[in-house]
């Protein structure tokens, strides 16, 4: 009797990601049409009880500065009680990062603006301090400051910035890995410029700041829980288009495994191999978020990835002027684009939630449940993996917990990404 070969065949599930071509030819155009129709529908239905609730700018239950709260102190030491609660926001001299830093400073944090240019960083810090001090009625706001230049496309610059931080501070409450570019080339470290700037540089920065993050104490407004530091990673709707089977340059980089594995991540970091390094860097931010929670969650650290939405921000500065005008007409503004980052920095999340995005979705998830008081907005709105075109644009709701699109073998892929990134930056795995 002939033995069936079926037992010797390993079943490989289909890649769940959308193709990069579908972004340009299907989801992009369809999203524009969907957005126009959705807003027309909302205008027609405005006189009726139906409405899309926008989440409050600050989550109902969020971190508070202990020295500004008379109850639930986390320390009896008056020096520690009055010590600065610190936040770092990369790429914060402009755009979404600037808005995020402004909000955190207004809430009482000392916010370090991590930017390439000292002049631009100091100018942005002055602007933030002037703005929050004008609007502060009780004098309890924090401040923005420039510490040291940070160029994420240079590993040496990242190390120098981290050293400057360690020389002055011992703890870090919030790290927002915000900076990013959407153009590419070859970095001075020999990597793909886009992938290094958007992800590898942030990976190294986070690794170097893990100890200060674990020393932090973040107290919730409800007073029922204390966490260590919070890490916010900027992802994007484009993570849906980071398939592992996309064509790459060079036969040696063709992926035959149907997985986002060690070889795939390693090739992604190489210059002139992939045409999709922006989308792949945003998937890396999501997978990195997962692995941070797995490795450091037991010690109190929490990480969240956020999609700011389609934002008319400074990231489009290299595009033609006519394109910038179009973006301003159809995209959300920078203040709206910072909503997910701000909520991700200070909000209390349902267990297992790792991703926020800013648009209404039709398909709810029963995972990551929240309290009844939060069901109508924010973290109480839990969505399934969206149809990408409905996460590109649409009715803006502020922020909502949403299931991202992730590699099939997530834990294995996350460990592979960690190993590759550790090798690239010269750190132990």
């Amino acid at each position: 009797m002939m033995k069936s070969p079926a037992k010797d065949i390993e079943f490989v599930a289909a890649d769940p990601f959308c193709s990069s071509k579908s972004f340009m030819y299907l989801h992009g155009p369809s999203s524009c049409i969907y957005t126009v129709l959705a807003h027309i529908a909302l205008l027609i239905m405005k006189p009726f009880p139906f409405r899309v609730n926008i989440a409050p700018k600050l989550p109902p239950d969020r971190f508070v500065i202990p020295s500004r709260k008379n109850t639930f102190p986390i320390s009896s030491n008056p020096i520690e009680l009055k010590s600065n609660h610190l936040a770092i926001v990369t790429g914060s001299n402009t755009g979404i990062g600037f808005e995020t830093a402004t909000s955190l400073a207004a809430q009482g944090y000392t916010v370090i603006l991590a930017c390439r240019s000292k002049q631009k960083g100091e100018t942005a810090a002055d602007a933030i301090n002037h703005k929050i001090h004008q609007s502060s009625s009780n004098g309890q706001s924090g401040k923005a400051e420039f510490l040291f230049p940070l160029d994420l496309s240079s590993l040496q610059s990242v190390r120098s910035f981290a050293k400057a931080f360690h020389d002055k501070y011992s703890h870090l409450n919030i790290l927002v890995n915000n900076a990013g570019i959407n153009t590419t080339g070859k970095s001075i470290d020999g990597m793909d410029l886009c992938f290094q700037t958007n992800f590898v540089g942030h990976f190294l920065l986070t690794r170097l700041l893990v100890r200060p993050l674990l020393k932090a104490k973040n107290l919730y407004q409800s007073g029922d829980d204390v966490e260590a530091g919070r890490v916010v990673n900027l992802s994007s709707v484009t993570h849906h288009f980071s398939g592992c089977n996309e064509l790459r340059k060079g036969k040696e980089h063709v992926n035959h495994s149907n997985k986002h594995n060690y070889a795939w991540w390693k090739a992604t970091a190489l210059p002139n191999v992939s045409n999709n390094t922006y989308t792949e860097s945003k998937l890396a931010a999501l997978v990195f978020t997962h692995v941070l929670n797995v490795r450091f969650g037991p010690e109190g650290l929490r990480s969240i990835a956020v999609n700011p939405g389609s934002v008319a921000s400074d990231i489009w500065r290299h595009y033609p002027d006519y394109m910038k005008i179009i973006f301003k007409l159809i995209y959300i503004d920078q203040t709206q684009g910072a909503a997910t980052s701000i909520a991700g920095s200070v909000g209390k999340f349902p267990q297992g939630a790792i991703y926020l995005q800013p648009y209404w979705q039709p398909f709810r998830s029963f995972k990551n449940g929240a309290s009844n008081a939060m069901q109508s907005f924010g973290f109480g709105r839990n969505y399934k993996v969206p149809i990408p075109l409905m996460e590109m644009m649409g009715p803006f709701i502020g922020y909502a917990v949403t299931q991202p699109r992730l590699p099939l073998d997530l834990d294995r892929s996350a460990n592979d990404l960690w190993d590759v990134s550790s090798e690239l930056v010269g750190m132990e795995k």
Side-chain angles (χ1 to χ4, degrees):
M1 184 174 180
M2 184 177 293
K3 182 180 178 181
S4 171
K7 294 181 180 179
D8 299 325
I9 298 176
E10 179 183 358
F11 174 75
V12 179
D15 183 11
F17 290 82
C18 304
S19 70
S20 58
K21 288 184 178 180
S22 70
F23 176 87
M24 182 68 68
Y25 299 111
L26 174 60
H27 292 279
S30 299
S31 181
C32 293
I33 297 171
Y34 160 70
T35 300
V36 171
L37 294 177
H39 281 88
I40 291 174
L42 288 174
L43 286 174
I44 294 173
M45 300 180 72
K46 195 171 183 179
F48 301 96
F50 173 83
R51 63 193 177 98
V52 174
N53 294 324
I54 297 180
K57 187 173 182 179
L58 294 177
D61 195 4
R62 60 185 182 273
F63 296 151
V64 290
I65 308 298
S67 60
R68 291 164 174 77
K69 187 177 177 66
N70 296 323
T71 57
F72 306 109
I74 61 175
S75 173
S76 59
N77 185 334
I79 296 177
E80 183 178 347
L81 193 62
K82 295 179 180 179
S83 66
N84 288 333
H85 266 48
L86 300 170
I88 294 175
V89 183
T90 67
S92 44
N93 63 291
T94 187
I96 298 169
F98 179 88
E99 298 295 337
T100 303
T102 301
S103 175
L104 291 174
Q107 294 175 59
Y109 291 89
T110 295
V111 184
I112 297 170
L113 307 186
C115 319
R116 287 181 298 175
S117 167
K118 179 181 179 180
Q119 180 182 356
K120 291 181 179 179
E122 291 177 342
T123 300
D126 290 341
I128 291 173
N129 292 332
H130 178 73
K131 181 177 181 179
I132 63 175
H133 292 154
Q134 273 194 326
S135 59
S136 176
S137 58
N138 55 14
Q140 297 297 308
S141 60
K143 64 177 181 178
E145 65 178 39
F146 180 84
L147 176 65
F148 198 85
L150 173 66
D151 182 354
L152 291 157
S153 67
S154 165
L155 298 181
Q156 182 56 51
S157 176
V158 176
R159 292 189 177 94
S160 297
F161 175 87
K163 183 180 183 303
F165 179 86
H166 282 284
D167 288 344
K168 188 173 183 180
Y169 301 108
S170 62
H171 70 280
L172 176 62
N173 296 82
I174 300 169
L175 171 61
V176 183
N177 291 323
N178 166 83
I181 60 174
N182 55 10
T183 55
T184 193
K186 184 177 180 179
S187 75
I188 61 173
D189 296 299
M191 285 180 257
D192 179 271
L193 181 64
C194 182
F195 193 74
Q196 177 172 341
T197 303
N198 294 0
F199 174 68
V200 178
H202 282 130
F203 173 87
L204 175 58
L205 179 65
T206 306
R207 288 285 307 269
L208 294 173
L209 296 177
V210 160
R211 291 303 122 193
L213 284 163
L214 293 176
K215 290 180 181 178
K217 294 181 180 179
N218 286 317
L219 177 71
Y220 282 109
Q221 194 170 36
S222 59
D224 60 355
D225 201 5
V226 176
E227 283 185 10
R230 173 69 58 84
V231 179
V232 179
N233 294 312
L234 268 284
S235 185
S236 165
V237 64
T238 60
H239 83 272
H240 292 287
F241 304 91
S242 301
C244 59
N245 297 318
E246 293 285 337
L247 291 177
R248 290 184 161 183
K249 299 173 185 176
K251 292 182 179 180
E252 68 274 20
H253 301 305
V254 175
N255 187 5
H256 299 290
S257 69
N258 209 40
K259 295 178 181 179
H260 295 81
N261 59 11
Y262 179 92
W264 188 86
W265 287 119
K266 191 168 185 177
T268 301
L270 297 175
N272 304 315
V273 170
S274 172
N275 292 322
N276 305 307
T277 48
Y278 178 81
T279 67
E280 290 157 0
S281 71
K282 297 307 178 180
L283 175 63
L286 263 166
V287 176
F288 183 46
T289 298
H290 169 76
V291 75
L292 282 174
N293 288 326
V294 171
R295 288 175 178 256
F296 302 107
E299 298 180 68
L301 184 145
R302 186 74 188 269
S303 184
I304 190 80
V306 301
N307 167 22
S310 297
V311 186
S313 71
D314 196 49
I315 197 171
W316 308 109
R317 57 187 175 274
H318 299 301
Y319 279 61
D321 289 341
Y322 76 90
M323 290 294 293
K324 296 177 187 176
I325 295 173
I326 294 174
F327 292 153
K328 286 183 179 180
L329 292 174
I330 64 175
Y331 287 176
I332 58 178
D333 61 35
Q334 293 178 167
T335 302
Q336 293 171 315
T340 54
S341 295
I342 295 168
S345 297
V346 299
K348 188 172 185 177
F349 302 103
Q351 190 65 32
I354 67 165
Y355 184 58
L356 302 180
Q357 60 82 33
Y359 300 113
W360 176 84
Q361 304 292 327
F363 306 113
R364 296 209 177 195
S365 170
F366 293 101
K367 295 181 180 180
N368 306 327
S371 63
N372 291 333
M374 299 170 67
Q375 287 301 321
S376 62
F377 52 73
F379 303 144
R381 275 189 298 219
N382 298 295
Y383 294 127
K384 294 182 179 180
V385 178
I387 302 171
L389 69 89
M390 302 184 79
E391 196 191 330
M392 289 181 178
M393 292 184 283
F396 173 78
I397 59 172
Y399 51 85
V401 171
T402 304
Q403 294 178 30
R405 196 177 303 270
L406 293 167
L408 293 173
D409 191 351
L410 177 58
D411 288 330
R412 178 65 180 272
S413 181
N415 287 331
D416 286 343
L417 174 63
W418 182 276
D419 290 348
V420 167
S421 302
S422 298
E423 291 174 5
L424 290 171
V425 301
M427 296 187 74
E428 293 184 2
K429 297 179 181 178

